[in-house]
Amino acid sequence: MDEVKAFVLEETRDKTGAKLGMWLFILSELLLFGGMFILYSAYRYKNPVDFHHASRELEVLLGTFNTIILLTSSLSMAASISALQRGQRRLSMVLLMATMALGLLFLVNKGLEWGTKIEHGIYPNSPILLARAKGEILFYGLYYVMTGLHGLHVLVGICILCGMLIFIAKDRINQMRFVPLENAGLYWHLVDIIWIFLYPLFYLIT
Amino acid sequence: MTSTGAAESIRPRISFYEDHGRYRGILSWILSLDHKRIGLLYFIFVIGFFFSGVVLGFFMRLEMIAPGGTIMKPRTYNSLFTLHGIIMIFLVVIPAIPTIFGNFFLPIQIGARDVAFPRINLLSWWLYISGATIVALSVFTGEGPPDTGWTFYAPYSLRTTVNVPLAVSGVFILGMSSILTGINLVTTTHRLRAPGMTWKRLPLFVWAIYATSWVQILATPVIGITMVLVFLERFFGVGVFDPTKGGDPILYQHMFWIYSHPATYIMILPAMGIVSDVVPVFARKKIFGYMAIALSGMAIAAVGSLVWGHHMFVSGQSDFANLLFSLLTFLVAVPSAIKVFNWVATLHKGSIVLEPPLLFCLSFIFLFSIGGLTGLIQGALAPNMHLHDTYWIPAHFHYIIFGGMGFGLFAAFHYWFPKMFGRMYNRKTAKIAWIIMFVGFNIFYFSMLLLGWEGMPRRYYDYLPQFRPLHLTATFGSWILIAGLIVMFANLFRGLFKGEKAEDNPWDAATLEWQIPSPPPTENFEKIPVIQHGPYDFKEFSRNG
Amino acid sequence: MKTVKYRTYILVWVGLVILTGMTFSFAGMDLGGWTVLIALAIAGTKSGLVLNYFMHLRSERLLIFRVIIPLVMAVFLVFILLTFADLAFRGGVK
């Protein structure tokens, strides 16, 4: 029996191993953002009023809309994998493209938000920002870095999904072999989870 | 019962050196997916960086041989100790054992043909080289290397005009390399163990690397983000650590040490794993308390992640935090002490074979114990007030990092040399090198303990005349130590080319790497073995042949 | 791995949208110190849905998969609590 196991170990691709590796990478990403959440908590604890004031300047509706966009993109991502597992190749690709489109829309909105703030002279080290209360300077510092880092991850995610799309088109990822798509999905959902926390912590401070 | 017709491929029986795969020459090395070649690539560069770190240390000690300026200006001295720290910590001590011996031997010890993700393994090495290059660039470009100490404390690191951004970028890339290595080795240990290789039959070296890899995955991201923030502060003035913008420099220290303390366990755990593997072989006796050693490694990884505040007792931390961190620091000594006890208990009534690997392990136990005990002294709040930022601290950590991890690394060199290279070095010369190093080490670093106790500040270029005798002694000790290092490396280097051919199992050990040829063939095993006994079961092993 | 039904995903999505609506409404109310905790609890629930259903953690059988999220939560908690042991008591224990 052990010899059969040894033989199997030799010849099969290890899907669970690939998935485990991806999850471990996700853990490291969670702690990368976790470090920033520690700083956020510290500075919000020290400057509760300033954080509240600064938060009210953010466009809550746009932020909420962006949250829904990302949640929907997670839906299309998960569905894309299901479709591929059922052999519905075209549907899978359409759903994948929808995910990418939603991600792009998220980034456009983010860009607009940033653009508005920068137009008003509120960006790191700007004279207008530096004239404000310390807590507000910190709020915006954290805002730009955390949403910026998050946005970078969304961008990378879109590129990865583009790669997956090409692989599906070339039949390198298909009903029999879909682990790379699953792993890409895991990454995308991670990006969604980070935003799930960023949203209330920046837009909804009362 | 198994139909092997379709699947039995022909596995080369030539050594992995001769089987160069798709490429020729240097490409067959730097584009290799073979964990053994990648391990050796790390070997070459880690040793190279170690030499450069030693040279920096040599010049530091030369400058400190007398008060005032001796051979350099103060800023140069600051850059020297900064670079010495960055190189030794990020390019040598943190990567060394996991990337050299973890890569080379973990797969073999668990009965696998390679790691779980060979391409990620190669990527890790390229990231290591890239990070090192960026650090090198920080030395030779612009206004020169950082002078902040390897700790890059804010706000000075935000203001000093030297190459801090380059250096912290290098550290970030090196961190990515470390995380990927950790992911690879955890997955390998979970997924690629041979049939019959249960968790309780794993060599303790594997357990040690496993614990280490978890710390790499979970702690490294925090310094990653911290380095990014320093970079962003310098270029965009974000304000997160800058007091003029409301930032708290102590928060920088928290973020920095949340990684950098567990990093010291990334450094020491693999070396402890080596001692746990080597001692039974040279005592001809099963390890005492296998599960205690395996689990104490996991405990060190866990509890060691809770003590970082002990670097900040005098920084302005709250008294409550000071108390908490001091208590936790005392707790983390317990699993380490369990290991020391178990190693000594293994030696007790064993049939001791005094070969070089064992000598290095014995000195590890002695030097690590001194390091650990001095750690307890400085972990207590009242003494820490006096000892912090004195020579006591670098003396303590050199006992642990050099006396502990360094000597553990040298034990690994001498233990696994015949397996990796198929040759044996001159054992007598190795023992002579060892005694020279051991004597030089203690003269050097014990003097530093005394200097610190007397109040000599660290990272100081100049000092009061009363400290002169001990500084002289320390520098003298450093020369003896370096002489020993030269003898050791020359001996190993010579053995590489002129050493006698080694047998497959010169030490008569029972772990899997000794059951395959020296040097190993590319895919390690002709057939994946089915494991039926533990890693130190010498009696069973010799019965089965 | 069993293929998850589209219906399950859509139901999860509906739950996520509802929870988002909830967190949005709670922000309008004045709940003092509880606000952060409620916001975090809702965010935690949303993440739980994404982890378990979209990321299929619910259907994983191996121990390691069940351990990793609690592990990373514990690590993060420890980091933040010990940091606050400093920050919250700078003026001395009151």
XYZ file of all heavy atoms in Angstrom, chain A residues 140-173:
264
model
N -4.645 61.370 6.714
C -4.450 61.367 5.268
C -3.200 60.601 4.860
O -3.150 59.981 3.804
C -4.440 62.796 4.722
C -5.838 63.316 4.517
C -6.371 64.286 5.361
C -6.638 62.788 3.516
C -7.664 64.728 5.190
C -7.934 63.222 3.335
C -8.449 64.190 4.170
O -9.745 64.622 4.000
N -2.157 60.653 5.706
C -0.973 59.844 5.417
C -1.357 58.381 5.314
O -1.034 57.690 4.339
N -2.094 57.900 6.323
C -2.521 56.503 6.328
C -3.486 56.233 5.168
O -3.430 55.194 4.524
C -3.197 56.165 7.663
C -2.242 56.077 8.848
C -3.013 56.053 10.153
C -1.378 54.830 8.731
N -4.369 57.181 4.906
C -5.348 57.017 3.824
C -4.640 56.770 2.491
O -4.927 55.805 1.789
C -6.236 58.252 3.738
C -7.107 58.312 2.503
C -8.253 57.516 2.399
C -6.791 59.144 1.434
C -9.047 57.553 1.266
C -7.582 59.189 0.305
C -8.712 58.392 0.225
O -9.488 58.445 -0.903
N -3.704 57.660 2.167
C -3.046 57.514 0.882
C -2.216 56.238 0.807
O -2.239 55.528 -0.198
C -2.152 58.735 0.590
C -2.900 59.903 -0.003
C -3.187 61.037 0.749
C -3.330 59.859 -1.328
C -3.880 62.098 0.204
C -4.020 60.919 -1.885
C -4.299 62.038 -1.116
O -4.990 63.090 -1.667
N -1.485 55.944 1.880
C -0.632 54.753 1.828
C -1.466 53.476 1.775
O -1.218 52.589 0.954
C 0.339 54.696 3.026
C 1.121 53.393 3.008
C 1.302 55.860 2.982
N -2.487 53.387 2.639
C -3.247 52.142 2.684
C -4.104 51.932 1.444
O -4.110 50.846 0.861
C -4.094 52.085 3.960
C -3.231 51.940 5.200
S -4.126 51.904 6.740
C -4.589 50.190 6.815
N -4.812 52.984 1.002
C -5.608 52.782 -0.209
C -4.694 52.665 -1.428
O -5.016 51.969 -2.388
C -6.645 53.912 -0.430
O -5.962 55.155 -0.570
C -7.629 53.984 0.706
N -3.546 53.341 -1.369
C -2.590 53.229 -2.475
C -2.033 51.823 -2.593
O -2.002 51.224 -3.673
N -1.603 51.266 -1.465
C -1.067 49.906 -1.472
C -2.155 48.927 -1.905
O -1.910 47.994 -2.685
C -0.560 49.558 -0.072
C 0.336 48.345 0.041
C 1.595 48.536 -0.787
C 0.701 48.087 1.496
N -3.384 49.156 -1.411
C -4.498 48.307 -1.794
C -4.746 48.404 -3.295
O -4.911 47.396 -3.979
C -5.752 48.692 -1.022
C -6.959 47.912 -1.440
N -7.921 48.410 -2.304
C -7.352 46.653 -1.151
C -8.857 47.495 -2.499
N -8.530 46.411 -1.815
N -4.748 49.645 -3.810
C -4.968 49.850 -5.245
C -3.912 49.152 -6.077
O -4.202 48.558 -7.127
N -2.692 49.196 -5.603
C -1.602 48.497 -6.300
C -1.901 47.007 -6.375
O -1.712 46.362 -7.412
C -0.291 48.746 -5.549
C 0.987 48.244 -6.208
C 1.199 48.944 -7.532
C 2.182 48.480 -5.292
N -2.420 46.467 -5.268
C -2.771 45.054 -5.261
C -3.918 44.752 -6.210
O -3.958 43.686 -6.836
C -3.117 44.593 -3.844
C -1.916 44.311 -3.007
N -1.122 45.288 -2.484
C -1.351 43.137 -2.631
C -0.122 44.745 -1.805
N -0.234 43.429 -1.878
N -4.864 45.702 -6.344
C -5.971 45.499 -7.299
C -5.405 45.461 -8.710
O -5.758 44.595 -9.523
C -7.014 46.625 -7.179
C -8.066 46.491 -8.266
C -7.673 46.594 -5.813
N -4.500 46.378 -8.989
C -3.893 46.436 -10.316
C -3.160 45.140 -10.644
O -3.334 44.559 -11.723
C -2.922 47.623 -10.364
C -2.344 47.963 -11.734
C -3.467 48.324 -12.683
C -1.366 49.131 -11.616
N -2.344 44.693 -9.704
C -1.634 43.427 -9.898
C -2.637 42.295 -10.111
O -2.461 41.430 -10.976
C -0.720 43.130 -8.687
C -0.207 41.702 -8.739
C 0.444 44.101 -8.661
N -3.717 42.323 -9.336
C -4.751 41.298 -9.474
C -5.336 41.278 -10.871
O -5.531 40.212 -11.467
N -5.615 42.470 -11.402
C -6.177 42.540 -12.758
C -5.202 41.922 -13.761
O -5.596 41.165 -14.661
C -6.516 43.993 -13.130
C -7.637 44.517 -12.225
C -6.918 44.104 -14.594
C -7.964 45.976 -12.432
N -3.914 42.230 -13.581
C -2.913 41.658 -14.496
C -2.894 40.132 -14.388
O -2.814 39.419 -15.394
C -1.523 42.214 -14.174
S -1.386 43.974 -14.450
N -2.953 39.633 -13.154
C -2.953 38.180 -12.971
C -4.172 37.564 -13.650
O -4.071 36.536 -14.341
C -2.951 37.821 -11.464
C -1.624 38.242 -10.836
C -3.199 36.337 -11.247
C -1.576 38.017 -9.337
N -5.334 38.204 -13.485
C -6.551 37.659 -14.093
C -6.455 37.692 -15.617
O -6.936 36.784 -16.308
C -7.776 38.444 -13.622
C -8.099 38.306 -12.139
C -9.387 39.034 -11.804
C -8.207 36.850 -11.731
N -5.790 38.736 -16.120
C -5.572 38.808 -17.572
C -4.774 37.596 -18.028
O -5.099 36.946 -19.031
C -4.831 40.110 -17.897
S -4.859 40.502 -19.623
N -3.734 37.305 -17.258
C -2.935 36.116 -17.568
C -3.776 34.854 -17.553
O -3.654 33.987 -18.430
N -4.659 34.741 -16.553
C -5.519 33.561 -16.454
C -6.430 33.459 -17.668
O -6.674 32.378 -18.217
C -6.370 33.622 -15.177
C -5.568 33.562 -13.895
S -4.645 32.025 -13.730
C -2.985 32.663 -13.634
N -6.944 34.618 -18.095
C -7.824 34.666 -19.269
C -7.114 34.087 -20.494
O -7.669 33.261 -21.231
C -8.206 36.126 -19.517
C -9.447 36.415 -20.346
C -10.665 35.819 -19.658
C -9.619 37.917 -20.500
N -5.873 34.511 -20.654
C -5.093 34.025 -21.801
C -4.882 32.518 -21.683
O -5.007 31.782 -22.667
C -3.742 34.774 -21.867
C -3.993 36.252 -22.138
C -2.842 34.162 -22.930
C -2.755 37.110 -22.096
N -4.576 32.057 -20.483
C -4.361 30.619 -20.298
C -5.616 29.811 -20.610
O -5.552 28.713 -21.163
C -3.902 30.317 -18.870
C -2.466 30.643 -18.613
C -2.040 30.987 -17.337
C -1.523 30.604 -19.629
C -0.712 31.299 -17.083
C -0.194 30.912 -19.389
C 0.213 31.264 -18.108
N -6.780 30.356 -20.203
C -8.021 29.635 -20.497
C -8.236 29.604 -22.009
O -8.602 28.578 -22.596
C -9.230 30.286 -19.807
C -9.061 30.234 -18.286
C -10.516 29.573 -20.209
C -10.189 30.888 -17.526
N -7.977 30.751 -22.647
C -8.149 30.820 -24.103
C -7.250 29.805 -24.798
O -7.635 29.178 -25.781
C -7.843 32.238 -24.580
N -6.048 29.626 -24.255
C -5.117 28.674 -24.873
C -5.291 27.257 -24.359
O -4.468 26.387 -24.636
C -3.680 29.119 -24.588
C -3.288 30.401 -25.273
C -1.790 30.617 -25.168
C -1.371 31.748 -26.080
N 0.052 32.028 -25.978
N -6.299 27.049 -23.536
C -6.613 25.729 -22.991
C -5.540 25.200 -22.039
O -5.492 24.007 -21.736
C -6.842 24.706 -24.119
C -7.681 23.531 -23.617
O -8.613 23.769 -22.819
O -7.368 22.385 -23.981
N -4.694 26.086 -21.544
C -3.726 25.623 -20.551
C -4.374 25.519 -19.179
O -3.880 24.858 -18.278
C -2.524 26.576 -20.510
C -1.600 26.362 -21.697
C -0.371 27.217 -21.585
N 0.385 26.885 -20.370
C 1.500 27.516 -20.029
N 1.955 28.490 -20.765
N 2.147 27.187 -18.932
N -5.471 26.263 -19.009
C -6.303 26.095 -17.818
C -7.660 25.650 -18.324
O -8.221 26.290 -19.225
C -6.442 27.407 -17.030
C -5.088 27.853 -16.498
C -7.420 27.239 -15.872
C -5.159 29.164 -15.738
